[in-house]
């Protein structure tokens, strides 16, 4: 499928999703759906760096929180519409992603991952000590009941925004996958020295990947304060984001755009269902058990399992 | 004599206190077939890595096509026309055999200002290269499905896909059978006839003697001989290095 038809189909799927959620007529569907959509964006963003170039980022929460706290700062200074906040959150996290890339991309394998974990801790410490955004007490955001125009329910509006963002993220990931850039990323993932010897500017491409990946995570985080209405460092930097952003692409399959989407929808929905039916504390346990199961049974994710011996990736 | 294609001047490289290469001088003329030999650990691969930009040499200058390459990252050297194959084949394992060749075409050939392979021609170009090394039927296979010699051929094809002026074949024949060695040898000579300068690093003396117009010997990080193959192998210092006193 070429890019344009793919985009049209994605938009149709998104429209159908929104339509179905409206038909259910229960606002909790939007509330829970938002989280799943947010995870589609996060998992897709993580996969651009982790799946395509093979650099495992443990710092998802930091990028997400940076986007979220950018919104808090703007909300306190001069409130702006959510789409603008998303662009700003994306810029902030994208720039931090670029900086992180410069500092850490000389590290390979687990050393890179440890550095991203450290970045997460550093950013969290900075936020905790920044009084303007509430420090460790957290920040309250009073969101309007409805949107200014069209008088749309605000949660439905956030759901719609996140739906559009996930279409953009997935579309971007798929474009990368089929492009010269995607082949360059794959070459880096497989063998960096061989990639360099084949003319691939590895450092430049890796920086591009960290920037893009960080930017999408920041975009996913930007509407978060309006969704939770109370944002504190403990929830903004929650380990769940980092773990889920890794687990979802791994469960779905990291080699293609579809993997993170499948992983996010399955795992995200499962977590939401578990939260209301069993216990909200059970979430991470579920993720852990499923992840271990997949690493053993289907190391190339669900997609790898379906495609069988096809083109799985070697780690 | 015209200016050499590759000129290495006073190149030195240390790993901590260990001197891996010391004051290496080496000129390679356009179109030449040079054999580079030396016992294990004599610094052959280190020399290749310094020339190709994988390692950084502490002293000396590497000039390629008249241009100093010091400080240039490896991918830019490849774009200038300096290609190398790896001693142990390092294919891109998640890409098919044909896609392996797409990388150098997209990132080297198409990164040069002059040549541009249109998107529609890339697949054809990959298949031509695979036909040249005799892997035409394997284009859709994954690298892990290849045999040892096919892997070597893929490694060479990938280096050739960047349309280099100079190719350094680092032990492209190690571990291959007699017939397979001849196969690769014929391939390298064919490439040379098409105008590619080739430096062959090899332990298989039969192949080296058959291939090389000139032979360079490295021992313990120093160049001890450089000349016609027949003269070099009679050189007493070379004999001592290989056979002992």
């Amino acid at each position: 499928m070429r890019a344009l038809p793919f985009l049209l189909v994605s938009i149709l799927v998104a429209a159908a999703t929104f339509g179905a959620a409206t038909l259910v007529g229960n606002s909790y569907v939007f509330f829970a759906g938002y989280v799943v959509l947010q995870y589609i964006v996060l998992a897709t963003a993580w996969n651009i760096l982790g799946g395509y170039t093979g650099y495992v980022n443990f710092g998802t929460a930091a990028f997400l929180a940076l986007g979220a706290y950018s919104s808090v700062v703007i909300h306190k200074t001069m409130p702006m519409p959510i789409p603008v906040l998303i662009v700003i959150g994306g810029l902030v996290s994208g720039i931090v992603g670029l900086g992180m890339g410069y500092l850490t991309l000389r590290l390979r394998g687990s050393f890179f991952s440890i550095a991203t974990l450290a970045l997460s801790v550093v950013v969290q410490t900075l936020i905790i000590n920044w009084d303007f955004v509430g420090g460790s007490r957290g920040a309250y955001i009073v969101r309007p009941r409805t949107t200014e125009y069209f008088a749309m329910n605000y949660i439905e509006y956030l759901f719609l925004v996140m739906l559009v963002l996930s279409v953009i993220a997935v579309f971007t990931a798929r474009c990368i996958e089929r492009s010269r850039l995607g082949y360059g990323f794959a070459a880096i993932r497989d063998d960096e020295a061989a990639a360099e010897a084949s003319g691939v500017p590895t450092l430049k491409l890796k920086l591009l990947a960290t920037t893009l990946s960080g930017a999408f995570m920041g975009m996913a985080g930007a509407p978060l304060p309006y969704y939770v209405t109370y944002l504190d460092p403990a929830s903004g930097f929650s380990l769940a984001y980092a773990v889920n952003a890794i687990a979802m692409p791994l469960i779905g399959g990291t080699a293609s755009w579809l993997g993170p989407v499948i992983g996010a929808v399955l795992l995200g929905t499962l977590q939401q269902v578990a939260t209301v039916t069993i216990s909200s504390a059970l979430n991470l346990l579920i993720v852990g058990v499923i992840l271990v199961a997949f690493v053993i049974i289907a190391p190339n994710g669900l997609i790898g399992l379906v495609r069988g011996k096809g083109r799985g990736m070697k780690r | 004599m015209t200016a050499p294609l590759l000129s290495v001047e006073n190149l030195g490289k240390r790993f901590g206190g260990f001197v891996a290469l010391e004051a290496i001088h080496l000129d390679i003329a356009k179109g030449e077939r040079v054999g580079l030999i030396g016992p294990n650990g004599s610094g052959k691969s280190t020399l290749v890595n310094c020339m190709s930009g994988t390692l950084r040499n502490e002293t000396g200058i590497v000039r390629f096509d008249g241009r100093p390459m010091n400080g240039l990252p490896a991918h830019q050297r490849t774009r200038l026309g300096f290609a190398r194959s790896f001693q142990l084949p390092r294919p891109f394992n998640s890409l098919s055999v044909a896609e392996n060749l797409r990388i150098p075409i997209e990132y080297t050939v198409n990164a040069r200002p002059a040549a541009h392979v249109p998107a529609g021609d890339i697949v054809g170009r990959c298949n031509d290269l695979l036909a040249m090394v005799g892997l035409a039927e394997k284009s859709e296979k994954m690298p892990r499905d290849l045999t040892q010699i096919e892997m070597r051929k893929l490694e060479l094809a990938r280096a050739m896909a960047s349309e280099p002026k100079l190719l350094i074949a680092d032990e492209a024949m190690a571990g291959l059978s007699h017939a397979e060695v001849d196969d690769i040898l014929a391939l390298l000579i064919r490439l040379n006839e098409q105008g590619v300068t080739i430096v062959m690093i090899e332990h298989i003396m039969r192949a080296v003697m058959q291939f090389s117009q000139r032979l360079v010997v490295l021992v313990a990080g120093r160049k001890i001989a450089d000349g016609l193959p027949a003269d070099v192998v009679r050189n007493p210092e070379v004999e001592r290095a290989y056979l002992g006193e």
Side-chain angles (χ1 to χ4, degrees), chain A residues 285-298:
Chain A
L285 181 70
I286 293 176
V287 178
V289 170
I290 293 181
L291 193 56
V292 169
F294 266 84
V295 165
I296 296 167
I297 302 165

Side-chain angles (χ1 to χ4, degrees), chain A residues 181-206:
Chain A
L181 190 61
Y183 280 109
F185 284 168
I188 291 174
R189 173 183 67 207
D190 288 346
D191 192 323
E192 276 196 57
E196 272 283 327
S198 299
V200 180
T202 53
L203 182 63
K204 201 171 103 188
L205 258 56
K206 287 189 290 181

